[in-house]
Amino acid sequence: MREKCEPLMAIVGRPNVGKSTLFNRIIGERRAIVEREPGVTRDRIYAEGEWGGKSFSLIDTGGLVPDASQGISSLIKEQVRIAIQEADLILLLVDAQCGPTSVDEEIGRRLRKADKPIILAVNKVDNLESETAISNFYQLGLGEPVPISAIHGLRINELLDKVMELLPDEKAKAPPPGIKVAVVGRPNVGKSSFINALLQEERLIVDEEPGTTRDAVDTIFRLGEERFIFIDTAGMRQRGKVRRGVESYSIARAQGSLERCDIALLLFDAWEGVSTQDSRIAGYIEEKGKGVIIVGNKWDLVIKNQISKIKNQKCGKPHQPIIGKPMQAMESEMMKEYREIIRKKLPFLFAPIIFVSALTGHRVLKVIDLLREVTREQMLRPAKSILDRVFQEAKSHRPPGRRAKPVRLQRLKQVGIKPPTFAFYADNPEFISESYRRYLSNRLRQAFGFQGTPIKIISKGKRKR
Ligand code: GDP
Ligand code: GDP
């Protein structure tokens, strides 16, 4: 069974009623924080949502079934089975434009047998005229239908309010001791400036509690109940002191901090771009299995340069300042381009990328949001039945054997977190090809995200029954 931390809501319903549109709408904001990359989030079927300060997990059960040839009724049976087994609340989505269908009725019948709170949401109510059509859905016997339009984002707030009313509370958890963060990078990329920028953020309270001797070299920030422990920052906080940046020394220091951290902030100079030295440090982070966020500092220089380029192109014409929307559009276009370059240079790091300016403090606090985000991903334990489904699907997509040796895969099991670790059981595990392992790892990322954390896949011999 799933180890419950956060209550889980499952979205069920016929194909094409708008389940994934609704799913994406609910997790939309969080998705914007993590990467928007084709293939990474698109087929995500499991995510974390948040509403009114309460967190919950979310499954799009429709996304689990790639093969419609199974027949609609077995497809629906499977969705409902998973929802009943795993979820704390089930959201049945129906389509206003089709009226209640016999399949909706079949799902309703099955759901009513389960002892779980159910919400009936009627999608595609894009305008008031179609609202009259929703009264027909009372006949499903699942209480008052909630009209929504997932695609236009209409009445999603009302829907989530209702979800929050019915969803059981999060299990009481002891407050975590804090997220340990290492700020690593080449000399002169702006590590000290970054720490100093954080020290100037009003929302972050510096925790000066006397601690152990080891803590004395760390800087601890508090934000509400949360604690962020920035490791080995004592030297970085001393302003004005000339610190000679010896490359090899900084690598050794980075390695030491990496041992102790949960998440590394890999700072690089966005103005200069990713260097071989940056890739080396990235390699250490990956090797140690730590979480990572890529932080491109000195973004102000990149923007300044771009603006002066535009000004030069317009020479002769009266100069118009670039402000508001055009500026934002230009910046997001540039970030997109830069991200693509970074991904190519560091293809093994599946990490969120953020661009900041330690000099102006711009977006520095957003890094704290990403630290939370990556922490969640590191601790993620997808529901067992969903993992089984993803595995079944992955198994049928590609033969795992190498040198034509057939390998029968039995099952995939999560055996750890931080980093999420999966063991698969097979009769001849030594014959499983590297490319199949990579495929499986990509498939797990597509389904569950795991942004900013490595995942480990280990193979085991046949399981004794
Ligand atoms: P799923 O198969 O249940 O996951 O459905 P999808 O989310 O893939 O949506 C199926 C189709 O319905 C897509 O073409 C969506 O654009 C469309 N759709 C989703 N929500 C709405 C809505 O609120 N109104 C309208 N008119 N179309 C919608
Ligand atoms: P460290 O060696 O990685 O700790 O780097 P420092 O924080 O000492 O910064 C190196 C140099 O880069 C200093 O001259 C900083 O003023 C400058 N610097 C740091 N962050 C920024 C930034 O965001 N923008 C600009 N323009 N300069 C920066």
Side-chain angles (χ1 to χ4, degrees), residues 65-246:
V65 195
D67 183 8
S69 66
Q70 276 176 290
I72 188 135
S73 72
S74 62
L75 196 142
I76 301 273
K77 261 189 225 159
E78 184 60 7
Q79 277 190 35
V80 172
R81 190 187 64 76
I82 290 173
I84 292 179
Q85 188 182 322
E86 299 287 347
D88 299 298
L89 180 142
I90 301 168
L91 190 147
L92 169 59
L93 196 64
V94 292
D95 183 339
Q97 294 173 1
C98 304
T101 66
S102 54
V103 181
D104 293 336
E105 280 166 12
E106 185 192 327
I107 304 177
R109 255 195 312 277
R110 287 174 185 276
L111 291 183
R112 278 200 306 271
K113 285 190 206 145
D115 185 21
K116 298 262 158 124
I118 297 163
I119 294 179
L120 173 64
V122 185
N123 192 27
K124 309 195 186 176
V125 183
D126 301 337
N127 52 50
L128 284 173
E129 280 144 55
S130 43
E131 273 187 44
T132 49
I134 70 152
S135 55
N136 296 333
F137 288 95
Y138 276 100
Q139 74 188 61
L140 294 178
L142 296 172
E144 189 182 353
V146 185
I148 59 163
S149 169
I151 209 152
H152 299 298
L154 301 177
R155 294 172 222 89
I156 305 295
N157 293 1
E158 284 91 328
L159 178 68
L160 289 177
D161 283 344
K162 189 152 183 187
V163 168
M164 287 306 133
E165 246 171 62
L166 296 177
L167 211 54
D169 275 338
E170 208 176 318
K171 279 201 163 175
K173 278 185 281 185
I179 302 173
K180 292 199 213 75
V181 187
V183 180
V184 295
R186 285 187 298 123
N188 281 324
V189 294
K191 297 180 294 299
S192 314
S193 309
F194 179 78
I195 294 293
N196 283 311
L198 286 177
L199 286 166
Q200 277 159 30
E201 283 290 344
E202 278 176 13
R203 288 186 54 210
L204 290 178
I205 314 269
V206 183
D207 210 336
E208 300 284 10
E209 246 172 62
T212 60
T213 30
R214 196 194 224 182
D215 282 348
V217 296
D218 301 340
T219 305
I220 305 171
F221 292 106
R222 265 195 302 113
L223 185 66
E225 295 280 285
E226 293 169 295
R227 274 159 46 104
F228 300 89
I229 303 154
F230 282 71
I231 295 172
D232 267 346
T233 45
M236 296 184 189
R237 284 176 66 176
Q238 292 163 16
R239 275 162 211 270
K241 194 176 158 211
V242 183
R243 289 162 293 104
R244 295 256 162 253
V246 182

Side-chain angles (χ1 to χ4, degrees), residues 40 43-47 386 390 442-449:
V40 172
D43 347 5
R44 193 184 256 216
I45 49 176
Y46 191 98
I386 319 253
V390 171
N442 287 339
R443 190 64 201 100
L444 289 170
R445 285 190 186 278
Q446 279 169 359
F448 305 113

